[in-house]
Amino acid sequence: MADKRKFSWKAGQSSVQNAAEVLPALAAAFFAQGRALTSQPPPEALHNFRIQAKRLRDTVELFQPCYNRRLERLLESLRELQQTLGELNDLAATRRMLVDRGFDKSRRNLFANLDARIAEKTDQFFPVWRDTFAREDEARRWVHYLATGTFRPTRPVHKTGRR
C-alpha cells in the first residue's frame, strides 16, 4: 500500500530546508514499499507502487533547483521504472475493463495475449528494480543525498570586492 503519511512544509523555512527534511522520508517510504514486493505481486501492489514512485518523482522534481545535476540521473531512473509500471497498469486496466464488459468468456485468445503481456511487463519490472534500486545501500544513498546533497543557493551569491 502506498505511504499515506502527510508531509507538512514549514512556511518559515526555505525550499532547501523543507526539501532536506521531507524528501528523505518520502524516498525511504518508496524503497521500503519496493523491497516489500514479492516476485509474483498482485497487480494492485504494483499499481500502488507506481503511485508511490510517481509521488516521489513529482515531489522531487518540484525541488530540482535545490540540488545539483546528479538529481537528474536519479530522476531518470525513476522515470524508467515508472514507464514499465505504467505500461503494466495500462494492460491490467484494459483487462479489468474487458472483464467488466463481459468479454472474458468470448475472447479467450485476447485474454491469453493480455495475460502474457502482463507477465512480460512484470518480468521487465524486477530487473529494473533489482539493478537500479535494490542494490546494496541504494536507499541509503538516495536518503542521504536528498537530506544533505549539494544544494544550489536559493538566491544569487554576490561576491564582494576586496578593499
Side-chain angles (χ1 to χ4, degrees), residues 25-40:
L26 196 57
F30 163 78
F31 279 94
Q33 190 172 353
R35 283 190 301 270
L37 292 172
T38 63
S39 61
Q40 293 296 319

Side-chain angles (χ1 to χ4, degrees), residues 50 53 57 76-90 121 124-125 128:
R50 181 181 73 87
R57 190 185 115 209
E76 188 55 41
S77 61
L78 273 174
R79 285 184 197 104
E80 181 183 355
L81 187 76
Q82 277 186 275
Q83 178 69 30
T84 301
L85 289 170
E87 291 168 6
L88 178 60
N89 185 66
D90 291 347
K121 285 296 169 187
Q124 284 178 3
F125 161 75
V128 172

Side-chain angles (χ1 to χ4, degrees), residues 64-72 145 149-152:
Q64 195 166 0
C66 298
Y67 293 90
N68 62 22
R69 283 186 239 154
R70 178 171 187 248
L71 186 62
E72 182 54 40
Y145 176 74
T150 306
F151 296 110
R152 293 180 182 161

Side-chain angles (χ1 to χ4, degrees), residues 9-10 13-21 63 66-67 151 154:
W9 304 101
K10 296 179 179 134
Q13 292 184 345
S14 71
S15 298
V16 170
Q17 291 167 319
N18 273 303
E21 285 185 21
F63 293 92
C66 298
Y67 293 90
F151 296 110
T154 55

Side-chain angles (χ1 to χ4, degrees), residues 106-127:
S106 62
R107 311 284 178 160
R108 295 204 189 285
N109 193 32
L110 173 65
F111 283 94
N113 288 335
L114 277 172
D115 291 341
R117 292 278 297 142
I118 289 169
E120 178 185 320
K121 285 296 169 187
T122 301
D123 290 345
Q124 284 178 3
F125 161 75
F126 282 103

